[in-house]
Amino acid sequence: MSRQFETLQLGSLELFCLTAKHGGFTAAAKATGLTAAAVSRSIARLEARLGVRLFMRTTRQVRLTDAGQRYYGQCQHALEQLVEAEREITGEQTAPAGVLRLSLPTSYGHYRVLPLLPAFTRQYPAIELDLHLSNRNIDFTDEGFDLAVRGRTPPDSGLVARKLEDAELVVVAAPDYVRRQGEPRTLDDLFQHECIQFMLPSTGQPVPWLLRHEGRIIEHAPPGRLRCADDILGPVTLARAGAGVLQTYRFLIEEDLREGRLVELFSNYAGASRPFSLLYPASRHMPLRVRVLIDFLLLHLVR
């Protein structure tokens, strides 16, 4: 097998990642004891070898291009794997350490995972967490993520899915809305109401409501003029303000129900749920920092 990388090229990859992480040649130079000019020349050689511009350079800032952003995610992941391999082979991996990238949906992130993480960082002070809150499906390889939580498992046979919970769905509205418009009791009644919609990022279509009736799950698409994309907490805010009827996760509005800001409707159609799962690439070699976060989340979230 012929060599694909020279020592200087591997060093350029490290300098590239440091520049991307710290946001400039000067900061990367300080972190390595080199001059900013030396860092800049090294990255210029890397760009020449690839035939791709990795950074946009101005007099004020240095920022990654789109190609540079993709390359950074993969290079960072590869360099971290090299470090982990050295620690494992030399027996030095006695404590979890390093950067761990975790992607979370906004709802589950805010209400389930983020409140747990201070305890995790106290337990593992050498682990750095890069958190990404978004409702889109991420690409583990291109974007360099270690773990993700999703409400729908992407059709990728290379991913391991560990179920965290079946999150109960509930139909709610503000008391003021119910006083003005009446309480819907059947599926046909919903066509006379304003039903708040959340648009699925992957399709751009409204997420259908799931209802349990007489032992079976019904998928229903009620009408509505109010549609929210990206942030699933937006429909909850609209419902609190009396804008219409909403189906959402019970864990998002438990306090609203207790405090009377929202009331539960459709109790005869209750009991449907959607699963949330922890996803990660199937791999024989898993860094210790990833293993301990998987164990931590499963311990605290599996219901």
Side-chain angles (χ1 to χ4, degrees):
M1 176 181 175
S2 61
R3 293 186 65 183
Q4 290 184 300
F5 296 97
E6 300 295 336
T7 303
L8 287 176
Q9 290 168 355
L10 290 173
S12 293
L13 290 181
E14 288 188 293
L15 292 176
F16 162 66
C17 288
L18 284 170
T19 302
K21 179 179 180 180
H22 294 292
F25 299 133
T26 301
K30 288 181 180 178
T32 57
L34 300 173
T35 65
V39 174
S40 179
R41 286 194 300 271
S42 178
I43 291 172
R45 287 194 296 269
L46 179 61
E47 289 176 319
R49 177 178 179 271
L50 296 172
V52 174
R53 175 165 289 191
L54 300 173
F55 290 102
M56 294 295 293
R57 300 160 173 85
T58 69
T59 55
R60 292 188 175 184
Q61 65 175 349
V62 173
R63 62 182 177 83
L64 287 166
T65 62
D66 290 342
Q69 186 67 55
R70 294 193 300 272
Y71 193 55
Y72 171 60
Q74 296 188 45
C75 287
Q76 184 70 12
H77 184 66
L79 290 173
E80 288 172 359
Q81 284 190 310
L82 287 173
V83 172
E84 292 294 338
E86 283 196 2
R87 285 176 174 164
E88 184 174 292
I89 203 70
T90 59
E92 291 180 2
Q93 197 182 26
T94 57
V99 178
L100 193 158
R101 300 197 74 207
L102 172 63
S103 175
L104 301 166
T106 53
S107 59
Y108 207 80
H110 282 291
Y111 283 80
R112 286 289 201 248
V113 179
L114 296 187
L116 298 174
L117 295 184
F120 178 81
T121 56
R122 287 194 297 269
Q123 186 173 351
Y124 301 104
I127 294 179
E128 300 176 41
L129 292 177
D130 283 354
L131 305 173
H132 178 271
L133 274 74
S134 170
N135 295 304
R136 69 175 179 85
N137 290 328
I138 53 92
D139 187 301
F140 280 91
T141 301
D142 287 348
E143 299 180 67
F145 280 97
D146 298 291
L147 297 170
V149 173
R150 284 295 174 265
R152 292 171 175 80
T153 304
D156 186 339
S157 59
L159 295 178
V160 177
R162 306 283 297 275
K163 183 184 284 190
L164 298 174
E165 67 173 289
D166 288 308
E168 184 184 357
L169 295 163
V170 60
V171 178
V172 297
D176 177 65
Y177 176 87
V178 176
R179 284 192 294 270
R180 287 186 286 110
Q181 303 294 339
E183 180 179 347
R185 299 181 185 277
T186 68
L187 295 182
D188 288 340
D189 288 347
L190 287 175
F191 288 94
Q192 308 303 317
H193 285 264
E194 187 68 65
C195 296
I196 303 168
Q197 309 289 338
F198 179 69
M199 313 303 286
L200 191 64
S202 60
T203 65
Q205 298 299 312
V207 176
W209 291 14
L210 296 184
L211 304 161
R212 180 180 290 277
H213 188 60
E214 296 180 349
R216 63 190 182 95
I217 297 296
I218 301 168
E219 192 172 282
H220 188 61
R225 295 174 298 157
L226 292 170
R227 295 179 288 274
C228 287
D230 295 330
D231 188 352
I232 202 172
L233 301 179
V236 176
T237 301
L238 285 169
R240 290 190 191 114
V245 181
L246 172 68
Q247 183 177 73
T248 190
Y249 296 109
R250 182 178 291 276
F251 69 77
L252 294 180
I253 47 82
E254 286 176 318
E255 185 175 341
D256 293 289
L257 292 175
R258 287 195 301 268
E259 300 295 329
R261 290 185 291 270
L262 294 171
V263 294
E264 184 173 352
L265 309 175
F266 264 58
S267 57
N268 52 328
Y269 286 87
S273 63
R274 292 188 189 276
F276 280 90
S277 298
L278 181 63
L279 309 177
Y280 51 92
S283 174
R284 293 179 61 186
H285 174 73
M286 179 182 290
L288 183 56
R289 64 179 178 277
V290 178
R291 288 204 298 270
V292 295
L293 183 56
I294 290 172
D295 292 342
F296 180 88
L297 294 177
L298 292 176
L299 175 64
H300 289 87
L301 292 174
V302 171
R303 298 164 189 266

